[in-house]
Amino acid sequence: MKKGLLILFLLLGITGTYASEPAVVYGTWDRGDRLKDSEVKLYKIFSGKLSEIASSRITANKYFGFAFEPQGEGFYVIGSGTALSAQGKYIFYFKPGDRLNIAVNDSSYVLTGKNTPENIAMEKWHNEIAVLEYKTIYPRVKAGYANGQPSSYVDFFPLLEGSAGKATAFKSNTGNSQFENIFKKIREFDIVRYAYTFILTPRTTQPQNKDFPQFYTNNATLSRLTTNTDLLQYPFGIQLIQSVIIVQNILSGTDSKTKQPLDGIINDTLKGEFALNMAEKLKTYTDLEQFNKENGKYIITSDQKNRMNDLAARLNQGDSGLNTLDFSGTDVNGKKISVSDFK
């Protein structure tokens, strides 16, 4: 069996590594003539963002597959396109030795054959809120239409309010307590992501402040979402924070150029991750130095400091005399630390 899998994966052109007891993904990927993908990618979740770890060419018969070694157990994403694209991205849960059998179509997926209780629960949840996904991520797909036209806030907001309680009301009993604890948060974040992504997607009709339901102030505020680091386990966590900041600034009439986006983030580690995400968009080392003067205090963990200095090195390639940026701050235990402590 293992020899047969190896031959199959070589034929599929899979890149990636796997151990003697890998997790295996096998299925078909057919998103129609409009979306002719050539490969499928496997992503791990790193600090609230997607990080590609493997890819598989789609065969002429639409098959693809992966064999990889999960680090413990947790959520991964299978999808096409870039890591920043929302379309064609599906979240699954893997443990060493797990199998996922799947068939992907132009706007969704179905599990086929034998699958784990965790991924059966994931599929059930995906189907539970599919209408929100269609109207948000696939507005041109027929299932995302209302009265023959792409969805607008007029039909979306009532659906959103009706879905607000689904995250907690959803029944899941896989027997895996680790999965269940994280899955509960994933469900909550899914609904919030669709709520904000919908607003930031171009529509023929845009809502005014008076049109927004209470969901945006009761269930999906920045302070409510950022009290801990749970968003770092969500594949679109950093992107979600950015969306919430933009929409809440619009609703409050706040000038985003004068308000510090980090102000509303409660958790210090999460604040540092968002600061890093902002820094990664800078183009020059000079810009990074200025950024450090204003925001270096938010970079608190040793991992964040190391990644910031890696960024500094990339922005200043060719300068042999470059010194690393020395960030100082307080770690999660209240201890004063700086980059120079880790020389």
Side-chain angles (χ1 to χ4, degrees):
M1 175 62 179
K2 291 181 180 179
K3 181 178 180 181
L5 281 174
L6 176 59
I7 294 173
L8 170 63
F9 294 146
L10 289 174
L11 289 173
L12 287 170
I14 296 166
T15 61
T17 59
Y18 53 92
S20 58
E21 188 60 27
V24 174
V25 180
Y26 180 70
T28 57
W29 191 278
D30 185 4
R31 297 176 68 204
D33 294 335
R34 186 175 62 89
L35 300 166
K36 293 184 177 180
D37 299 315
S38 60
E39 65 177 8
V40 182
K41 299 172 183 178
L42 175 68
Y43 301 91
K44 69 177 180 180
I45 301 166
F46 178 73
S47 296
K49 295 191 291 187
L50 298 182
S51 178
E52 182 181 336
I53 59 175
S55 64
S56 170
R57 291 197 304 270
I58 302 172
T59 71
N61 293 325
K62 308 299 184 182
Y63 289 102
F64 77 98
F66 297 104
F68 69 103
E69 182 181 5
Q71 300 301 308
E73 59 180 277
F75 288 96
Y76 290 77
V77 170
I78 296 171
S80 60
T82 69
L84 296 177
S85 172
Q87 290 195 355
K89 300 291 190 300
Y90 304 108
I91 310 173
F92 298 100
Y93 193 85
F94 289 104
K95 308 180 298 296
D98 279 355
R99 301 291 185 269
L100 175 70
N101 297 287
I102 184 174
V104 175
N105 55 49
D106 63 349
S107 61
S108 189
Y109 74 87
V110 293
L111 296 185
T112 61
K114 186 176 181 179
N115 289 279
T116 64
E118 293 90 350
N119 286 326
I120 291 172
M122 292 294 295
E123 181 194 34
K124 182 181 177 183
W125 169 245
H126 181 262
N127 292 337
E128 181 77 11
I129 58 168
V131 65
L132 295 182
E133 180 186 37
Y134 291 142
K135 291 180 177 296
T136 302
I137 309 299
Y138 303 96
R140 299 291 176 181
V141 173
K142 187 175 181 180
Y145 276 37
N147 301 319
Q149 297 295 326
S151 184
S152 74
Y153 76 90
V154 176
D155 64 277
F156 179 77
F157 282 169
L159 286 171
L160 176 64
E161 289 191 288
S163 299
K166 286 186 176 181
T168 52
F170 185 84
K171 302 299 182 183
S172 175
N173 186 20
T174 62
N176 183 340
S177 59
Q178 179 173 326
F179 166 79
E180 295 295 345
N181 289 335
I182 307 174
F183 184 32
K184 182 178 180 180
K185 301 303 297 185
I186 293 289
R187 299 196 300 267
E188 176 185 345
F189 295 149
D190 274 345
I191 294 178
V192 175
R193 180 169 73 98
Y194 292 142
Y196 281 99
T197 302
F198 186 92
I199 300 302
L200 296 176
T201 304
R203 306 279 167 177
T204 55
T205 305
Q206 295 293 341
Q208 302 300 309
N209 282 24
K210 62 181 178 60
D211 300 317
F212 280 78
Q214 290 186 341
F215 179 88
Y216 289 88
T217 53
N218 292 352
N219 300 72
T221 62
L222 191 62
S223 58
R224 176 183 172 91
L225 294 167
T226 62
T227 56
N228 53 45
T229 59
D230 287 343
L231 272 173
L232 297 183
Q233 300 183 68
Y234 188 60
F236 313 101
I238 296 298
Q239 187 181 80
L240 177 54
I241 293 174
Q242 182 68 64
S243 297
V244 174
I245 290 173
I246 293 172
V247 174
Q248 289 193 347
N249 282 347
I250 293 173
L251 291 176
S252 64
T254 302
D255 184 354
S256 60
K257 294 182 179 179
T258 60
K259 181 177 174 61
Q260 167 59 267
L262 296 166
D263 289 345
I265 300 175
I266 305 302
N267 180 268
D268 288 339
T269 300
L270 198 59
K271 193 174 293 187
E273 290 297 335
F274 193 76
L276 269 170
N277 186 67
M278 295 168 61
E280 288 170 354
K281 295 179 173 62
L282 300 175
K283 302 299 183 183
T284 69
Y285 182 75
T286 301
D287 290 339
L288 185 62
E289 286 185 308
Q290 182 60 38
F291 181 88
N292 176 43
K293 291 178 182 178
E294 299 172 359
N295 302 288
K297 60 185 178 182
Y298 299 116
I299 309 300
I300 60 171
T301 70
S302 58
D303 179 63
Q304 289 173 351
K305 295 174 190 294
N306 289 335
R307 281 185 281 146
M308 184 63 88
N309 277 296
D310 287 343
L311 175 60
R314 292 197 301 271
L315 290 177
N316 206 39
Q317 289 181 2
D319 185 350
S320 59
L322 172 67
N323 292 316
T324 60
L325 297 172
D326 190 20
F327 297 95
S328 296
T330 304
D331 67 12
V332 294
N333 296 315
K335 178 183 177 182
K336 293 288 185 180
I337 58 173
S338 63
V339 168
S340 55
D341 295 333
F342 299 94
K343 286 184 178 179

mmCIF file of all heavy atoms in Angstrom, residues 245-287:
data_model
loop_
_atom_site.group_PDB
_atom_site.id
_atom_site.type_symbol
_atom_site.label_atom_id
_atom_site.label_comp_id
_atom_site.label_asym_id
_atom_site.label_seq_id
_atom_site.Cartn_x
_atom_site.Cartn_y
_atom_site.Cartn_z
ATOM 1 N N ILE A 245 -10.679 46.421 11.166
ATOM 2 C CA ILE A 245 -10.178 47.786 11.379
ATOM 3 C C ILE A 245 -10.716 48.725 10.303
ATOM 4 O O ILE A 245 -11.192 49.826 10.600
ATOM 5 C CB ILE A 245 -8.640 47.793 11.386
ATOM 6 C CG1 ILE A 245 -8.114 47.108 12.651
ATOM 7 C CG2 ILE A 245 -8.106 49.227 11.302
ATOM 8 C CD1 ILE A 245 -6.606 46.906 12.668
ATOM 9 N N ILE A 246 -10.662 48.299 9.055
ATOM 10 C CA ILE A 246 -11.107 49.153 7.945
ATOM 11 C C ILE A 246 -12.594 49.480 8.075
ATOM 12 O O ILE A 246 -13.000 50.646 8.003
ATOM 13 C CB ILE A 246 -10.838 48.469 6.591
ATOM 14 C CG1 ILE A 246 -9.329 48.354 6.346
ATOM 15 C CG2 ILE A 246 -11.500 49.247 5.455
ATOM 16 C CD1 ILE A 246 -8.972 47.530 5.122
ATOM 17 N N VAL A 247 -13.413 48.440 8.277
ATOM 18 C CA VAL A 247 -14.859 48.657 8.333
ATOM 19 C C VAL A 247 -15.248 49.457 9.572
ATOM 20 O O VAL A 247 -16.090 50.364 9.494
ATOM 21 C CB VAL A 247 -15.616 47.313 8.290
ATOM 22 C CG1 VAL A 247 -17.120 47.535 8.496
ATOM 23 C CG2 VAL A 247 -15.368 46.616 6.957
ATOM 24 N N GLN A 248 -14.631 49.170 10.718
ATOM 25 C CA GLN A 248 -14.992 49.910 11.922
ATOM 26 C C GLN A 248 -14.569 51.374 11.825
ATOM 27 O O GLN A 248 -15.235 52.260 12.360
ATOM 28 C CB GLN A 248 -14.384 49.240 13.154
ATOM 29 C CG GLN A 248 -15.064 47.922 13.497
ATOM 30 C CD GLN A 248 -14.711 47.402 14.871
ATOM 31 O OE1 GLN A 248 -13.786 47.871 15.512
ATOM 32 N NE2 GLN A 248 -15.473 46.416 15.319
ATOM 33 N N ASN A 249 -13.474 51.659 11.131
ATOM 34 C CA ASN A 249 -13.081 53.048 10.895
ATOM 35 C C ASN A 249 -14.112 53.757 10.018
ATOM 36 O O ASN A 249 -14.438 54.933 10.237
ATOM 37 C CB ASN A 249 -11.703 53.117 10.237
ATOM 38 C CG ASN A 249 -10.567 52.892 11.215
ATOM 39 O OD1 ASN A 249 -10.768 52.910 12.429
ATOM 40 N ND2 ASN A 249 -9.370 52.681 10.706
ATOM 41 N N ILE A 250 -14.617 53.034 9.011
ATOM 42 C CA ILE A 250 -15.641 53.611 8.139
ATOM 43 C C ILE A 250 -16.909 53.908 8.936
ATOM 44 O O ILE A 250 -17.493 54.990 8.833
ATOM 45 C CB ILE A 250 -15.955 52.650 6.971
ATOM 46 C CG1 ILE A 250 -14.739 52.522 6.038
ATOM 47 C CG2 ILE A 250 -17.177 53.140 6.188
ATOM 48 C CD1 ILE A 250 -14.908 51.464 4.964
ATOM 49 N N LEU A 251 -17.330 52.955 9.760
ATOM 50 C CA LEU A 251 -18.568 53.119 10.517
ATOM 51 C C LEU A 251 -18.465 54.232 11.564
ATOM 52 O O LEU A 251 -19.445 54.908 11.853
ATOM 53 C CB LEU A 251 -18.939 51.802 11.207
ATOM 54 C CG LEU A 251 -19.376 50.659 10.284
ATOM 55 C CD1 LEU A 251 -19.632 49.383 11.079
ATOM 56 C CD2 LEU A 251 -20.624 51.044 9.495
ATOM 57 N N SER A 252 -17.274 54.408 12.117
ATOM 58 C CA SER A 252 -17.100 55.436 13.150
ATOM 59 C C SER A 252 -16.695 56.783 12.573
ATOM 60 O O SER A 252 -16.596 57.773 13.310
ATOM 61 C CB SER A 252 -16.045 54.979 14.166
ATOM 62 O OG SER A 252 -14.768 54.853 13.542
ATOM 63 N N GLY A 253 -16.420 56.812 11.266
ATOM 64 C CA GLY A 253 -15.982 58.053 10.640
ATOM 65 C C GLY A 253 -14.563 58.427 11.003
ATOM 66 O O GLY A 253 -14.162 59.592 10.888
ATOM 67 N N THR A 254 -13.769 57.435 11.411
ATOM 68 C CA THR A 254 -12.401 57.693 11.831
ATOM 69 C C THR A 254 -11.479 57.767 10.622
ATOM 70 O O THR A 254 -11.574 56.954 9.702
ATOM 71 C CB THR A 254 -11.899 56.578 12.769
ATOM 72 O OG1 THR A 254 -12.773 56.508 13.890
ATOM 73 C CG2 THR A 254 -10.487 56.864 13.252
ATOM 74 N N ASP A 255 -10.580 58.716 10.626
ATOM 75 C CA ASP A 255 -9.583 58.831 9.572
ATOM 76 C C ASP A 255 -8.488 57.809 9.839
ATOM 77 O O ASP A 255 -7.749 57.915 10.821
ATOM 78 C CB ASP A 255 -8.987 60.244 9.550
ATOM 79 C CG ASP A 255 -7.995 60.440 8.397
ATOM 80 O OD1 ASP A 255 -7.688 59.450 7.695
ATOM 81 O OD2 ASP A 255 -7.522 61.579 8.211
ATOM 82 N N SER A 256 -8.379 56.809 8.975
ATOM 83 C CA SER A 256 -7.400 55.737 9.183
ATOM 84 C C SER A 256 -5.964 56.246 9.157
ATOM 85 O O SER A 256 -5.057 55.578 9.644
ATOM 86 C CB SER A 256 -7.583 54.644 8.112
ATOM 87 O OG SER A 256 -7.405 55.183 6.815
ATOM 88 N N LYS A 257 -5.737 57.436 8.587
ATOM 89 C CA LYS A 257 -4.374 57.982 8.515
ATOM 90 C C LYS A 257 -3.938 58.578 9.842
ATOM 91 O O LYS A 257 -2.750 58.739 10.101
ATOM 92 C CB LYS A 257 -4.298 59.042 7.408
ATOM 93 C CG LYS A 257 -4.512 58.475 6.009
ATOM 94 C CD LYS A 257 -4.388 59.570 4.953
ATOM 95 C CE LYS A 257 -4.586 58.998 3.554
ATOM 96 N NZ LYS A 257 -4.484 60.065 2.504
ATOM 97 N N THR A 258 -4.896 58.935 10.689
ATOM 98 C CA THR A 258 -4.547 59.542 11.969
ATOM 99 C C THR A 258 -4.683 58.567 13.127
ATOM 100 O O THR A 258 -4.090 58.781 14.180
ATOM 101 C CB THR A 258 -5.449 60.760 12.240
ATOM 102 O OG1 THR A 258 -6.819 60.338 12.278
ATOM 103 C CG2 THR A 258 -5.284 61.805 11.140
ATOM 104 N N LYS A 259 -5.430 57.489 12.946
ATOM 105 C CA LYS A 259 -5.629 56.517 14.027
ATOM 106 C C LYS A 259 -4.645 55.364 13.890
ATOM 107 O O LYS A 259 -4.472 54.809 12.808
ATOM 108 C CB LYS A 259 -7.060 55.974 14.000
ATOM 109 C CG LYS A 259 -7.361 54.968 15.116
ATOM 110 C CD LYS A 259 -8.801 54.547 15.073
ATOM 111 C CE LYS A 259 -9.096 53.440 16.091
ATOM 112 N NZ LYS A 259 -8.827 53.883 17.458
ATOM 113 N N GLN A 260 -3.972 55.021 14.965
ATOM 114 C CA GLN A 260 -3.040 53.908 14.973
ATOM 115 C C GLN A 260 -3.832 52.597 14.927
ATOM 116 O O GLN A 260 -4.620 52.315 15.825
ATOM 117 C CB GLN A 260 -2.183 53.970 16.244
ATOM 118 C CG GLN A 260 -1.377 52.725 16.565
ATOM 119 C CD GLN A 260 -0.404 52.338 15.461
ATOM 120 O OE1 GLN A 260 -0.758 51.539 14.593
ATOM 121 N NE2 GLN A 260 0.786 52.901 15.486
ATOM 122 N N PRO A 261 -3.657 51.777 13.877
ATOM 123 C CA PRO A 261 -4.449 50.544 13.754
ATOM 124 C C PRO A 261 -4.217 49.555 14.878
ATOM 125 O O PRO A 261 -5.058 48.687 15.121
ATOM 126 C CB PRO A 261 -4.003 49.972 12.405
ATOM 127 C CG PRO A 261 -2.671 50.587 12.142
ATOM 128 C CD PRO A 261 -2.734 51.967 12.746
ATOM 129 N N LEU A 262 -3.092 49.685 15.585
ATOM 130 C CA LEU A 262 -2.793 48.749 16.664
ATOM 131 C C LEU A 262 -3.533 49.088 17.957
ATOM 132 O O LEU A 262 -3.594 48.267 18.867
ATOM 133 C CB LEU A 262 -1.285 48.724 16.931
ATOM 134 C CG LEU A 262 -0.409 48.204 15.784
ATOM 135 C CD1 LEU A 262 1.045 48.538 16.033
ATOM 136 C CD2 LEU A 262 -0.591 46.717 15.605
ATOM 137 N N ASP A 263 -4.098 50.272 18.028
ATOM 138 C CA ASP A 263 -4.715 50.728 19.279
ATOM 139 C C ASP A 263 -5.839 49.816 19.748
ATOM 140 O O ASP A 263 -6.003 49.600 20.946
ATOM 141 C CB ASP A 263 -5.261 52.153 19.107
ATOM 142 C CG ASP A 263 -4.147 53.186 19.003
ATOM 143 O OD1 ASP A 263 -3.005 52.843 19.346
ATOM 144 O OD2 ASP A 263 -4.421 54.325 18.575
ATOM 145 N N GLY A 264 -6.642 49.303 18.814
ATOM 146 C CA GLY A 264 -7.812 48.529 19.210
ATOM 147 C C GLY A 264 -7.550 47.064 19.468
ATOM 148 O O GLY A 264 -8.445 46.338 19.909
ATOM 149 N N ILE A 265 -6.324 46.575 19.198
ATOM 150 C CA ILE A 265 -5.983 45.170 19.424
ATOM 151 C C ILE A 265 -5.624 44.988 20.890
ATOM 152 O O ILE A 265 -4.740 45.666 21.414
ATOM 153 C CB ILE A 265 -4.814 44.740 18.513
ATOM 154 C CG1 ILE A 265 -5.218 44.911 17.047
ATOM 155 C CG2 ILE A 265 -4.416 43.292 18.790
ATOM 156 C CD1 ILE A 265 -4.081 44.635 16.067
ATOM 157 N N ILE A 266 -6.277 44.056 21.566
ATOM 158 C CA ILE A 266 -6.117 43.913 23.012
ATOM 159 C C ILE A 266 -4.889 43.092 23.382
ATOM 160 O O ILE A 266 -4.056 43.528 24.184
ATOM 161 C CB ILE A 266 -7.376 43.276 23.632
ATOM 162 C CG1 ILE A 266 -8.621 44.092 23.253
ATOM 163 C CG2 ILE A 266 -7.226 43.178 25.140
ATOM 164 C CD1 ILE A 266 -8.584 45.525 23.677
ATOM 165 N N ASN A 267 -4.743 41.912 22.806
ATOM 166 C CA ASN A 267 -3.670 40.999 23.191
ATOM 167 C C ASN A 267 -2.321 41.487 22.672
ATOM 168 O O ASN A 267 -2.179 41.833 21.490
ATOM 169 C CB ASN A 267 -3.970 39.600 22.647
ATOM 170 C CG ASN A 267 -2.900 38.583 23.017
ATOM 171 O OD1 ASN A 267 -1.961 38.377 22.269
ATOM 172 N ND2 ASN A 267 -3.053 37.955 24.169
ATOM 173 N N ASP A 268 -1.300 41.498 23.528
ATOM 174 C CA ASP A 268 0.003 42.047 23.153
ATOM 175 C C ASP A 268 0.707 41.216 22.081
ATOM 176 O O ASP A 268 1.332 41.763 21.165
ATOM 177 C CB ASP A 268 0.904 42.158 24.389
ATOM 178 C CG ASP A 268 0.472 43.272 25.320
ATOM 179 O OD1 ASP A 268 -0.229 44.191 24.845
ATOM 180 O OD2 ASP A 268 0.823 43.217 26.509
ATOM 181 N N THR A 269 0.636 39.888 22.189
ATOM 182 C CA THR A 269 1.273 39.033 21.180
ATOM 183 C C THR A 269 0.601 39.226 19.821
ATOM 184 O O THR A 269 1.268 39.315 18.786
ATOM 185 C CB THR A 269 1.201 37.555 21.592
ATOM 186 O OG1 THR A 269 1.875 37.381 22.840
ATOM 187 C CG2 THR A 269 1.861 36.669 20.545
ATOM 188 N N LEU A 270 -0.715 39.301 19.818
ATOM 189 C CA LEU A 270 -1.462 39.524 18.583
ATOM 190 C C LEU A 270 -1.131 40.903 18.009
ATOM 191 O O LEU A 270 -1.002 41.066 16.788
ATOM 192 C CB LEU A 270 -2.959 39.413 18.866
ATOM 193 C CG LEU A 270 -3.883 39.196 17.665
ATOM 194 C CD1 LEU A 270 -3.506 37.926 16.919
ATOM 195 C CD2 LEU A 270 -5.323 39.112 18.130
ATOM 196 N N LYS A 271 -0.954 41.871 18.875
ATOM 197 C CA LYS A 271 -0.579 43.212 18.433
ATOM 198 C C LYS A 271 0.785 43.182 17.745
ATOM 199 O O LYS A 271 0.991 43.832 16.712
ATOM 200 C CB LYS A 271 -0.552 44.156 19.641
ATOM 201 C CG LYS A 271 -0.478 45.627 19.294
ATOM 202 C CD LYS A 271 -0.605 46.483 20.554
ATOM 203 C CE LYS A 271 -1.995 46.375 21.164
ATOM 204 N NZ LYS A 271 -2.186 47.321 22.285
ATOM 205 N N GLY A 272 1.720 42.404 18.289
ATOM 206 C CA GLY A 272 3.036 42.278 17.673
ATOM 207 C C GLY A 272 2.976 41.609 16.318
ATOM 208 O O GLY A 272 3.688 42.000 15.379
ATOM 209 N N GLU A 273 2.119 40.584 16.180
ATOM 210 C CA GLU A 273 1.987 39.902 14.891
ATOM 211 C C GLU A 273 1.405 40.833 13.826
ATOM 212 O O GLU A 273 1.830 40.810 12.666
ATOM 213 C CB GLU A 273 1.102 38.657 15.031
ATOM 214 C CG GLU A 273 1.728 37.535 15.826
ATOM 215 C CD GLU A 273 3.002 36.977 15.187
ATOM 216 O OE1 GLU A 273 3.152 37.098 13.948
ATOM 217 O OE2 GLU A 273 3.828 36.440 15.930
ATOM 218 N N PHE A 274 0.449 41.658 14.238
ATOM 219 C CA PHE A 274 -0.129 42.590 13.273
ATOM 220 C C PHE A 274 0.885 43.664 12.889
ATOM 221 O O PHE A 274 0.947 44.095 11.735
ATOM 222 C CB PHE A 274 -1.396 43.233 13.837
ATOM 223 C CG PHE A 274 -2.196 43.962 12.802
ATOM 224 C CD1 PHE A 274 -2.967 43.254 11.887
ATOM 225 C CD2 PHE A 274 -2.172 45.346 12.723
ATOM 226 C CE1 PHE A 274 -3.699 43.925 10.913
ATOM 227 C CE2 PHE A 274 -2.902 46.016 11.761
ATOM 228 C CZ PHE A 274 -3.670 45.303 10.849
ATOM 229 N N ALA A 275 1.711 44.082 13.855
ATOM 230 C CA ALA A 275 2.777 45.040 13.552
ATOM 231 C C ALA A 275 3.762 44.445 12.551
ATOM 232 O O ALA A 275 4.206 45.119 11.609
ATOM 233 C CB ALA A 275 3.496 45.451 14.840
ATOM 234 N N LEU A 276 4.109 43.178 12.737
ATOM 235 C CA LEU A 276 4.994 42.508 11.786
ATOM 236 C C LEU A 276 4.381 42.461 10.395
ATOM 237 O O LEU A 276 5.065 42.664 9.386
ATOM 238 C CB LEU A 276 5.296 41.083 12.264
ATOM 239 C CG LEU A 276 6.522 40.885 13.140
ATOM 240 C CD1 LEU A 276 6.530 39.478 13.716
ATOM 241 C CD2 LEU A 276 7.790 41.124 12.338
ATOM 242 N N ASN A 277 3.092 42.189 10.336
ATOM 243 C CA ASN A 277 2.406 42.149 9.051
ATOM 244 C C ASN A 277 2.476 43.516 8.363
ATOM 245 O O ASN A 277 2.654 43.599 7.139
ATOM 246 C CB ASN A 277 0.956 41.735 9.253
ATOM 247 C CG ASN A 277 0.208 41.528 7.955
ATOM 248 O OD1 ASN A 277 0.492 40.614 7.184
ATOM 249 N ND2 ASN A 277 -0.755 42.392 7.679
ATOM 250 N N MET A 278 2.342 44.587 9.141
ATOM 251 C CA MET A 278 2.470 45.929 8.586
ATOM 252 C C MET A 278 3.891 46.170 8.084
ATOM 253 O O MET A 278 4.097 46.730 6.998
ATOM 254 C CB MET A 278 2.105 46.966 9.652
ATOM 255 C CG MET A 278 0.652 46.936 10.098
ATOM 256 S SD MET A 278 0.351 47.932 11.592
ATOM 257 C CE MET A 278 0.834 49.569 11.029
ATOM 258 N N ALA A 279 4.873 45.727 8.856
ATOM 259 C CA ALA A 279 6.275 45.949 8.484
ATOM 260 C C ALA A 279 6.642 45.205 7.203
ATOM 261 O O ALA A 279 7.459 45.683 6.403
ATOM 262 C CB ALA A 279 7.183 45.514 9.626
ATOM 263 N N GLU A 280 6.049 44.036 6.991
ATOM 264 C CA GLU A 280 6.369 43.239 5.804
ATOM 265 C C GLU A 280 5.951 43.909 4.508
ATOM 266 O O GLU A 280 6.404 43.525 3.423
ATOM 267 C CB GLU A 280 5.713 41.863 5.918
ATOM 268 C CG GLU A 280 6.371 40.969 6.964
ATOM 269 C CD GLU A 280 5.586 39.709 7.252
ATOM 270 O OE1 GLU A 280 4.458 39.576 6.713
ATOM 271 O OE2 GLU A 280 6.078 38.865 8.024
ATOM 272 N N LYS A 281 5.108 44.931 4.592
ATOM 273 C CA LYS A 281 4.669 45.650 3.398
ATOM 274 C C LYS A 281 5.610 46.813 3.051
ATOM 275 O O LYS A 281 5.447 47.470 2.016
ATOM 276 C CB LYS A 281 3.250 46.176 3.598
ATOM 277 C CG LYS A 281 2.194 45.088 3.749
ATOM 278 C CD LYS A 281 0.817 45.688 3.973
ATOM 279 C CE LYS A 281 -0.280 44.629 3.952
ATOM 280 N NZ LYS A 281 -0.120 43.624 5.014
ATOM 281 N N LEU A 282 6.578 47.096 3.919
ATOM 282 C CA LEU A 282 7.511 48.197 3.677
ATOM 283 C C LEU A 282 8.510 47.834 2.573
ATOM 284 O O LEU A 282 8.848 46.670 2.394
ATOM 285 C CB LEU A 282 8.256 48.545 4.961
ATOM 286 C CG LEU A 282 7.376 48.978 6.145
ATOM 287 C CD1 LEU A 282 8.217 49.186 7.389
ATOM 288 C CD2 LEU A 282 6.596 50.248 5.800
ATOM 289 N N LYS A 283 8.982 48.841 1.866
ATOM 290 C CA LYS A 283 9.839 48.615 0.703
ATOM 291 C C LYS A 283 11.322 48.896 0.950
ATOM 292 O O LYS A 283 12.177 48.374 0.241
ATOM 293 C CB LYS A 283 9.369 49.502 -0.459
ATOM 294 C CG LYS A 283 7.913 49.277 -0.871
ATOM 295 C CD LYS A 283 7.678 47.858 -1.353
ATOM 296 C CE LYS A 283 6.236 47.675 -1.837
ATOM 297 N NZ LYS A 283 5.971 46.272 -2.256
ATOM 298 N N THR A 284 11.648 49.714 1.945
ATOM 299 C CA THR A 284 13.048 50.085 2.169
ATOM 300 C C THR A 284 13.431 49.916 3.638
ATOM 301 O O THR A 284 12.576 49.928 4.531
ATOM 302 C CB THR A 284 13.312 51.545 1.761
ATOM 303 O OG1 THR A 284 12.637 52.421 2.695
ATOM 304 C CG2 THR A 284 12.809 51.820 0.338
ATOM 305 N N TYR A 285 14.741 49.812 3.858
ATOM 306 C CA TYR A 285 15.246 49.689 5.221
ATOM 307 C C TYR A 285 15.017 50.973 6.000
ATOM 308 O O TYR A 285 14.749 50.947 7.197
ATOM 309 C CB TYR A 285 16.729 49.347 5.187
ATOM 310 C CG TYR A 285 17.332 49.163 6.562
ATOM 311 C CD1 TYR A 285 17.080 48.014 7.295
ATOM 312 C CD2 TYR A 285 18.155 50.143 7.120
ATOM 313 C CE1 TYR A 285 17.617 47.843 8.562
ATOM 314 C CE2 TYR A 285 18.695 49.980 8.381
ATOM 315 C CZ TYR A 285 18.429 48.827 9.104
ATOM 316 O OH TYR A 285 18.956 48.664 10.341
ATOM 317 N N THR A 286 15.091 52.105 5.305
ATOM 318 C CA THR A 286 14.837 53.394 5.952
ATOM 319 C C THR A 286 13.411 53.449 6.493
ATOM 320 O O THR A 286 13.164 53.910 7.611
ATOM 321 C CB THR A 286 15.058 54.552 4.964
ATOM 322 O OG1 THR A 286 16.404 54.507 4.490
ATOM 323 C CG2 THR A 286 14.794 55.896 5.627
ATOM 324 N N ASP A 287 12.460 52.960 5.687
ATOM 325 C CA ASP A 287 11.065 52.908 6.145
ATOM 326 C C ASP A 287 10.936 52.009 7.365
ATOM 327 O O ASP A 287 10.173 52.306 8.294
ATOM 328 C CB ASP A 287 10.163 52.388 5.032
ATOM 329 C CG ASP A 287 10.013 53.377 3.888
ATOM 330 O OD1 ASP A 287 10.249 54.574 4.110
ATOM 331 O OD2 ASP A 287 9.664 52.933 2.778
#
